[in-house]
Amino acid sequence: MTKHITVMAGDGIGPEIMAEALKVLNGLIDAGLDVSFEEHLFGGAAHDATGSCLPDATLAACEKCDAILLGAIGGPRYDSLPREQRPERALLGVRSKLDLFSNLRPALLYPELASASSLKAELVADLDLMIVRELTGGIYFGEPRGIETTDGGEKRGFNTMTYSESEISRIAHSAFRIAEQRNGRLCSVDKANVLEVSELWRETVTQIAAEYPDVELSHLYVDNAAMQLVRAPKQFDVIVTSNLFGDILSDAAAMLTGSIGMLPSASLDASGKGMYEPVHGSAPDIAGQGIANPLATILSLSMLLRYSLDESKAADTIDRGVRQVLSDGLRCQDISGDQPAVSTTAMGDAVVAAMAN
Ligand code: NAD
């Protein structure tokens, strides 16, 4: 049965990078991939055309499809809108309407780009790790929260870190399934030596491991995980962790790779349906110049095919194409250093050509 993708290019460099991802997708469809896609307005572009950053037709398309591919949204023109009408709010709206609780942040470093990392090349060359972060619970949402004034007149701020068994269970299942599709190793990160909520996290993840005999589960305390990530990051395959710990660890892992223009991401629901997007924003400073790096969006498409549409052969074809263009020496300006850079469209064309080989 044909699978359907909702495509939302968005704002700034969004349409430029999405055009290249769609070249790649069309190439795969021409070669027999049974997928269709439909483009919809989202973010500032939707606001300009319809008065809403998340038009009803776009939300309906997101609800109906099998997966969503997003470029980027936002820009200075929309920063003066009331908060609830801004593009960023529309993004949160889609995430919460679709209950996208599992955030996938891969950190992948091609050997050719190892010098862009803040770590020594031998520590990071060929790095390929995936952080699965719980996105809709934990201390960012826990109640009670607030700032109060005590009887003594002193102000006191407080938040609550809370996870129910069902919240832990669904993120654990999501992470185990991802580990099954990768190298079969899952590291759960918590602070079970200090926090009761982490004790429950560890106990629940350990119980669920019995359902995934092909995945080897390990546990680390978050402070040790942070150390290991900068000491020997290649030891990890998949890391699963809570919202707060994942927020911090995934940004640290992203920096190991050196370039924001190369990093894809995804947010999944319990069934594996998801929204896929580059980690970077709409880069208004370079929009319209034809120099944005489209690889993070192209790699987001690869993740979409692998994790939501179960089309790992097509995903492998894209990954191989990206590897090939990098080893051929092609670079957009964000990763070119002193070398000459290629344009957004030249990079997209080169990936399509490399995929055909
Ligand atoms: P940004 O990621 O857009 O840009 C940061 C820097 O990285 C800029 O110098 C930019 O030129 C560069 N850059 C980003 N992507 C690149 C690419 N593909 N190729 C080459 N260079 C690239 O972050 P920002 O400037 O803080 O935010 C700009 C706008 O994007 C804001 O309106 C922000 O709210 C929005 N934003 C959207 C998303 C999203 O759509 N999910 C995420 C983050 C920021």
Side-chain angles (χ1 to χ4, degrees):
M1 216 173 64
T2 308
K3 305 257 181 61
H4 299 283
I5 304 174
T6 293
V7 171
M8 309 189 299
D11 309 318
I13 60 169
E16 299 166 50
I17 53 181
M18 187 58 79
E20 303 314 309
L22 293 182
K23 268 184 201 165
V24 168
L25 181 56
N26 275 320
L28 291 165
I29 292 171
D30 289 346
L33 179 71
D34 194 8
V35 164
S36 71
F37 67 88
E38 207 175 82
E39 294 191 66
H40 283 271
L41 288 169
F42 187 52
H47 188 271
D48 293 343
T50 71
S52 161
C53 285
L54 178 53
D56 290 346
T58 302
L59 182 58
C62 288
E63 287 174 329
K64 216 171 57 195
C65 67
D66 297 295
I68 302 157
L69 185 63
L70 170 65
I73 49 146
R77 280 184 54 209
Y78 309 105
D79 288 347
S80 53
L81 287 173
R83 201 165 282 280
E84 63 284 358
Q85 289 177 27
R86 288 190 202 160
E88 291 77 8
R89 198 47 82 86
L91 191 55
L92 291 178
V94 174
R95 284 195 183 130
S96 81
K97 281 266 186 221
L98 300 186
D99 207 6
L100 304 176
F101 65 89
S102 175
N103 186 217
L104 273 50
R105 290 273 302 264
L108 187 70
L109 187 58
Y110 300 92
E112 295 84 0
L113 302 182
S115 62
S117 172
S118 50
L119 294 191
K120 289 188 204 111
E122 65 267 25
L123 289 181
V124 287
D126 272 326
L127 173 73
D128 182 3
L129 80 88
M130 175 77 83
I131 297 191
V132 180
R133 165 189 170 194
E134 201 289 325
L135 201 57
T136 57
I139 196 163
Y140 292 169
F141 296 92
E143 298 283 349
R145 62 191 298 158
I147 299 175
E148 63 181 14
T149 305
T150 63
D151 292 344
E154 189 190 13
K155 280 192 176 166
R156 176 179 166 269
F158 55 98
N159 289 86
T160 307
M161 193 186 235
T162 157
Y163 272 111
S164 64
E165 261 181 301
S166 60
E167 285 175 306
I168 302 167
S169 165
R170 65 181 191 169
I171 190 72
H173 280 293
S174 180
F176 275 110
R177 285 197 295 266
I178 305 263
E180 276 185 328
Q181 283 171 279
R182 291 174 47 100
N183 294 319
R185 286 181 294 115
L186 177 63
C187 178
S188 173
V189 171
D190 61 40
K191 190 69 183 167
N193 50 344
V194 177
L195 302 173
E196 285 80 359
V197 60
S198 278
E199 233 177 274
L200 180 66
W201 178 283
R202 189 174 283 221
E203 195 183 296
T204 309
V205 173
T206 304
Q207 271 166 15
I208 289 167
E211 296 174 46
Y212 299 88
D214 295 334
V215 177
E216 182 195 319
L217 174 67
S218 59
H219 302 272
L220 276 184
Y221 298 135
V222 63
D223 42 347
N224 189 11
M227 278 198 298
Q228 297 302 328
L229 213 46
V230 291
R231 190 188 72 85
K234 285 197 271 186
Q235 70 185 284
F236 295 111
D237 178 18
V238 182
I239 289 175
V240 62
T241 191
S242 62
N243 204 344
L244 171 65
F245 300 157
D247 191 2
I248 299 163
L249 293 181
S250 64
D251 272 11
M255 279 329 292
L256 299 178
T257 72
S259 171
I260 195 165
M262 296 292 301
L263 291 171
S265 75
S267 312
L268 307 184
D269 74 4
S271 72
K273 172 175 173 170
M275 177 155 71
Y276 296 77
E277 56 182 310
V279 165
H280 62 72
S282 60
D285 54 332
I286 57 164
Q289 298 178 27
I291 58 171
N293 188 345
L295 292 180
T297 314
I298 291 173
L299 291 168
S300 298
L301 172 63
S302 161
M303 281 182 77
L304 180 155
L305 293 167
R306 191 181 305 283
Y307 295 116
S308 283
L309 302 195
D310 211 11
E311 293 284 357
S312 53
K313 252 177 74 182
D316 288 344
T317 304
I318 296 178
D319 295 350
R320 210 182 49 240
V322 170
R323 260 176 209 283
Q324 186 61 51
V325 299
L326 291 173
S327 78
D328 290 347
L330 269 75
R331 306 279 186 271
C332 286
Q333 54 85 30
D334 59 321
I335 51 170
S336 64
D338 300 334
Q339 298 176 50
V342 300
S343 67
T344 310
T345 51
M347 183 59 97
D349 289 342
V351 173
V352 173
M355 284 165 45
N357 292 332

